[in-house]
């Protein structure tokens, strides 16, 4: 049977391009180019695969900024049918993010919500649980595989030491891991088609965010020696000395 | 202050309890079979959950325990099921969460915490009135007391999500978090056959073998419990030798505490060279045999 799937998509600064301010060490990401968050790509792939298998529609939900809009197009190219960018994202605050996303989700028809289990930039891993708690629906976390049958869902959930077979009824929130799948690279035709799609944006509700006060956000100081040898044979003696010192 | 500490990993629960020694009255909770260290971590009282753990079952049971013990603060170890449990507690009301904390201090009713951000590129220091802390593994050494805390068993409440069987993951039986010397491999090893060479180096330096995420999770050249990094183990050996590891931030976050870092990589611009004390630029298959010879002669 066909399912309505909502996929939660985060847009993040490209981590590789974040550079601390050389004098203060403070990290500012205002100008860093944006990209799809790694686990959100796995979530999109999982949602699109379920649609391909069972039929239905995938709706993408981004809580971001106006600049996030091109990333929704990328999601469309990967097979997401429809979506919206909610603007007004102010930074890492999972409770507020969940409040804004749930405000939107509550007015929608859905069977399944898919998210990443831990986002690549802020790494809270809390959002799937908070959303599930707020909506009062089942949570099946860290899914390696997802199977649906009528109103039943089965998931292989990967924990540190074991894999659990979880069962529940829909609607449900499922989080996926990096090992769940390999996100597809959409073909050029789909990218072009997605490029022509209209992007709908709407402002976040509620607008006020309460929470934490940032005191500082600095690159951890590295006091490494950084003795590099381009001709490795010249460095072996120094390295052996250092190794012997440490394993004495 | 009264705390409730939970982790499905007894080691992490004991670490948190040891970290919160001064000025706290700790109740520690873990799963049956994980109680070993928790019993001797200086907690006032202790519970173990029996039955199949799910995040929903755990969050219901912990909420009850928090109310019964009138705990002010809840600490949950950051594991897959721990984060889900914390999320559910925060979502169903009454809890203000903070994730992945690596230190926490309380004064004037406020918590000052630190955590890594941007995959480990920065350290964020925050002040908040949070009451639910998801704690990154390794916040302290689990220091053990002579006295054992009395244990009460609690059967996990019915959960709307049910567990129908489980498979254990294979483990290498290694405890890389305690290792004094680590030889760590990355995708640059190229083939599992290369492990033979790595073993020679590991035996020459009496080290444990660990690896980057792709090596442990994607290729299974090593077992998952040997993964170093943000989503793996945080290690602090005296010596960390990185072979064919590019040094992405998520990897660095797991080995930053090492005392001396040696890196071998054929790419001069690999970020690992920013985070090493000694860097040899070249093919590991030519350099490592020379190192082994020099170390054993
Ligand atoms: C949410 C999230 C969490 C993550 N958590 C972790 C984590 O916990 N741990 C982790 O490690 N990663 C983690 N990652 C993945 C991380 O971003 C990198 O993808 C990973 O660390 C790269 O592994 P690598 O260095 O082995 O491989 P690569 O990046 O492919 O590097 C291979 C290196 O080997 C070198 N090389 C190749 N051949 C040779 C040779 N013959 N001799 C010498 N050098 C050679 C290359 O120059 C290259 O630098 C995470 C990512 C995300 C998004
Ligand atoms: N601002 C956001 N908008 C949409 N989805 C999000 C947002 N933040 C997080 N998510 C989803 O929640 C997952 C886990 O994020 P986190 O809990 O922040 O680690 C991500 O992989 C996304 O699927």
């Amino acid at each position: 049977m066909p399912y309505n799937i909502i996929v939660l998509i985060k847009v993040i600064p490209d981590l590789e391009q974040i550079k601390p301010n050389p004098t203060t060490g403070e990290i500012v990401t205002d100008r860093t180019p944006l990209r799809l968050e790694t686990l959100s790509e796995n979530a999109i792939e999982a949602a699109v695969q379920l649609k391909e298998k069972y039929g239905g529609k995938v709706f993408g939900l981004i809580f971001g900024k106006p600049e996030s809009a091109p990333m929704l197009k990328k999601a469309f190219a990967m097979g997401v049918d429809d979506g919206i960018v909610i603007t007004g994202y102010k930074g890492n605050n999972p409770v507020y993010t969940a409040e804004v996303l749930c405000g939107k989700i509550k007015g929608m028809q859905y069977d399944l919500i898919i998210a990443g289990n831990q986002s690549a930039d802020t790494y809270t891993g809390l959002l799937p649980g908070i959303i599930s708690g707020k909506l009062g629906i089942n949570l099946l976390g860290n899914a390696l595989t997802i199977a649906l049958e009528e109103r039943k869902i089965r998931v292989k959930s990967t924990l540190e030491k074991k894999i659990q077979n979880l069962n529940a009824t829909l609607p449900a929130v499922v989080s996926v891991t990096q090992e769940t799948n390999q996100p597809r690279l959409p073909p050029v035709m789909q990218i072009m088609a997605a490029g022509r799609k209209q992007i709908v944006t709407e402002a976040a509700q509620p607008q006020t965010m309460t929470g934490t006060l940032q005191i500082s956000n600095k690159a951890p100081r590295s006091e490494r020696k950084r003795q590099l040898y381009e001709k490795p044979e010249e460095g072996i003696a120094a390295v052996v000395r250092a190794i012997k010192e440490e394993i004495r | 202050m009264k705390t409730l500490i939970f982790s499905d990993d007894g080691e992490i629960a004991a670490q948190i309890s040891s970290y919160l020694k001064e000025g706290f009255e700790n109740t520690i909770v873990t799963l049956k079979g994980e109680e070993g260290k928790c019993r001797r971590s200086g907690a006032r009282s202790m519970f173990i959950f029996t039955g199949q753990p799910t995040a929903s079952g755990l969050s219901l049971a912990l909420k009850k325990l928090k109310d019964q013990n009138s705990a002010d603060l809840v600490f949950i170890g950051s594991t897959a099921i721990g984060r889900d449990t914390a999320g559910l507690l925060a979502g169903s009301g009454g809890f203000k969460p903070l994730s992945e904390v690596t230190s926490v201090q309380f004064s004037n009713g406020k918590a000052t915490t630190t955590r890594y951000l941007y995959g480990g590129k920065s350290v964020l220091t925050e002040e908040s009135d949070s009451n639910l802390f998801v704690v990154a593994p390794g916040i302290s050494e689990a220091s053990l007391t002579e006295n054992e805390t009395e244990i009460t068993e609690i059967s996990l409440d019915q959960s709307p999500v049910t567990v129908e069987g489980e498979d254990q993951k294979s483990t290498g039986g290694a405890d890389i978090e305690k290792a004094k010397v680590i030889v760590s491999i990355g995708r640059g090893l190229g083939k599992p056959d290369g492990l033979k060479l790595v073993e020679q180096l590991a035996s020459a330096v009496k080290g444990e073998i660990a690896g980057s995420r792709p090596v442990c999770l994607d290729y299974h050249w090593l077992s998952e419990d040997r993964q170093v990094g943000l989503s793996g183990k945080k290690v602090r050996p005296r010596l960390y030798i990185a072979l064919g590891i590019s040094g992405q931030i998520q990897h660095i976050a797991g080995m930053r505490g090492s005392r001396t870092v040696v890196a071998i990589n054929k790419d001069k611009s690999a970020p690992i060279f920013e985070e090493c004390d000694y860097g040899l630029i070249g093919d590991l298959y030519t350099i490592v045999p020379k190192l082994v010879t020099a170390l054993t002669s």
Side-chain angles (χ1 to χ4, degrees), chain A residues 7-12 37-41 43-44 61-64 86 89 91-94 97-98 101 114-131 174-176, chain B residues 83 99 115:
Chain A
V7 58
L8 304 182
I9 307 171
K10 190 177 193 185
V11 174
I12 62 170
E37 183 268 318
T38 321
L39 271 299
S40 296
E41 290 189 14
I44 294 171
L61 205 48
I62 295 178
F63 176 30
I86 304 174
Y89 185 76
N92 180 34
N93 183 327
T97 300
L101 290 171
I114 305 187
N117 69 341
Q118 246 187 331
S119 59
D121 62 337
T122 60
Y123 218 72
T124 81
L126 294 180
L127 208 70
I130 302 178
I131 298 236
V174 170
S175 74
V176 297
Chain B
R83 290 184 291 271
S99 55
R115 64 161 297 180

Side-chain angles (χ1 to χ4, degrees), chain A residues 15-16 35 37-39 118-121 123 178, chain B residues 185-190 211-215 227-234 243-252 254 264-268 270-272 282-285:
Chain A
L15 302 179
E16 301 301 322
R35 68 170 177 85
E37 183 268 318
T38 321
L39 271 299
Q118 246 187 331
S119 59
D121 62 337
Y123 218 72
Q178 255 192 314
Chain B
I185 55 172
R187 192 143 48 184
L189 192 69
S212 69
R213 175 165 175 144
V215 163
Q227 179 191 329
V228 171
L230 202 53
S231 53
K233 300 273 167 68
K234 316 278 183 294
L243 306 175
I245 292 177
S246 60
Q248 303 295 316
I249 41 185
Q250 294 92 351
H251 187 82
I252 302 295
I264 300 178
N265 193 305
K266 65 179 182 189
D267 175 9
K268 188 168 119 182
I272 190 75
D283 189 334
L284 71 94
Y285 284 97

Side-chain angles (χ1 to χ4, degrees), chain A residues 16 18 121-123 158-159 163-165 167 178-179 212-213 215-218 224 226-227 229 246, chain B residues 53 80 115 118 121-123 125-127 162 164 167 169 213 231 248 258-260 274 277 279:
Chain A
E16 301 301 322
I18 295 178
D121 62 337
T122 60
Y123 218 72
T158 175
L159 309 180
I163 295 175
Q164 291 180 319
N165 300 320
N167 281 351
Q178 255 192 314
E179 290 71 51
T212 61
L213 173 71
I215 297 172
S216 73
N217 185 25
K218 289 191 179 171
R224 300 271 170 221
R226 287 194 213 94
Q227 284 188 23
Y229 298 90
E246 291 299 2
Chain B
R115 64 161 297 180
Y118 301 128
K121 266 214 164 163
S122 74
V123 176
T125 309
E126 293 176 291
E127 195 181 271
T162 55
E164 247 180 37
D167 304 312
K169 285 187 178 174
R213 175 165 175 144
S231 53
Q248 303 295 316
S258 311
R259 197 158 81 185
T260 296
E274 295 288 314
D277 296 290

Side-chain angles (χ1 to χ4, degrees), chain A residues 147-210:
Chain A
L148 302 171
E149 202 188 318
E150 303 288 321
R151 304 304 294 164
K152 289 226 152 53
I153 174 166
R154 287 167 192 281
V155 147
K156 280 195 182 296
S157 170
T158 175
L159 309 180
E160 283 73 11
K161 293 175 194 160
K162 60 187 178 187
I163 295 175
Q164 291 180 319
N165 300 320
L166 299 181
N167 281 351
T169 52
L170 297 178
V173 175
V174 170
S175 74
V176 297
T177 73
Q178 255 192 314
E179 290 71 51
T180 305
N181 54 41
Q182 190 68 47
R184 67 191 70 190
L185 295 170
V188 178
M189 290 295 286
Q190 265 169 271
I191 297 176
M192 308 239 298
R196 288 189 291 271
K197 268 188 132 165
Q198 239 3 70
I199 298 291
V200 182
T201 64
E202 94 186 19
Q205 288 300 335
Q207 290 187 346
T208 42
M209 168 170 113
T210 53

Side-chain angles (χ1 to χ4, degrees), chain A residues 13 15-20 27 29 35 39 92 94-95 117-118 120-135 137-142 154 156 158-169 175 177-179 211-236 238-240 242-248, chain B residues 8-9 34 52-56 78-81 83-84 86-88 90-92 97-100 112 115-130 134 160-169 181 204-205 213 217-218 224 230-231 238-239 241 248-250 255-262 268 273-282 287 290-291 294-295 297:
Chain A
L15 302 179
E16 301 301 322
Q17 301 195 44
I18 295 178
K19 291 270 181 302
I27 301 266
T29 56
R35 68 170 177 85
L39 271 299
N92 180 34
V95 173
N117 69 341
Q118 246 187 331
D121 62 337
T122 60
Y123 218 72
T124 81
L126 294 180
L127 208 70
I130 302 178
I131 298 236
S132 147
K134 275 193 189 297
L135 297 173
I137 62 176
N138 293 327
L139 171 67
L140 300 97
N142 311 290
R154 287 167 192 281
K156 280 195 182 296
T158 175
L159 309 180
E160 283 73 11
K161 293 175 194 160
K162 60 187 178 187
I163 295 175
Q164 291 180 319
N165 300 320
L166 299 181
N167 281 351
T169 52
S175 74
T177 73
Q178 255 192 314
E179 290 71 51
T212 61
L213 173 71
Q214 176 171 324
I215 297 172
S216 73
N217 185 25
K218 289 191 179 171
R221 265 227 303 269
S222 161
E223 279 158 14
R224 300 271 170 221
K225 295 194 184 74
R226 287 194 213 94
Q227 284 188 23
L228 303 187
Y229 298 90
E230 289 206 39
K231 296 202 180 98
E233 49 294 344
E234 289 174 4
I236 292 211
V239 168
V240 166
I243 290 177
K244 286 197 168 150
E245 178 69 22
E246 291 299 2
I247 64 176
R248 259 194 316 181
Chain B
D8 57 314
D9 182 329
E34 291 284 327
Q52 287 284 8
T54 62
S56 17
S78 180
T79 60
I81 218 168
R83 290 184 291 271
D84 282 348
L88 285 172
S92 41
L98 268 190
S99 55
E100 295 303 301
T112 305
R115 64 161 297 180
Y116 286 116
L117 204 63
Y118 301 128
K121 266 214 164 163
S122 74
V123 176
L124 177 68
T125 309
E126 293 176 291
E127 195 181 271
S128 68
D129 58 357
S130 296
V134 181
V161 177
T162 55
V163 183
E164 247 180 37
E166 59 180 40
D167 304 312
Q168 297 299 319
K169 285 187 178 174
V181 177
V205 296
R213 175 165 175 144
L217 280 191
D218 301 336
E224 284 179 30
L230 202 53
S231 53
R238 294 162 63 118
L239 174 64
I241 306 181
Q248 303 295 316
I249 41 185
Q250 294 92 351
M255 47 67 77
R256 192 170 263 141
S258 311
R259 197 158 81 185
T260 296
V261 177
V262 174
K268 188 168 119 182
F273 289 129
E274 295 288 314
E275 272 300 327
C276 74
D277 296 290
Y278 301 91
L280 301 178
I281 301 164
I287 299 174
K290 287 181 190 157
L291 266 185
L295 282 164
S297 66

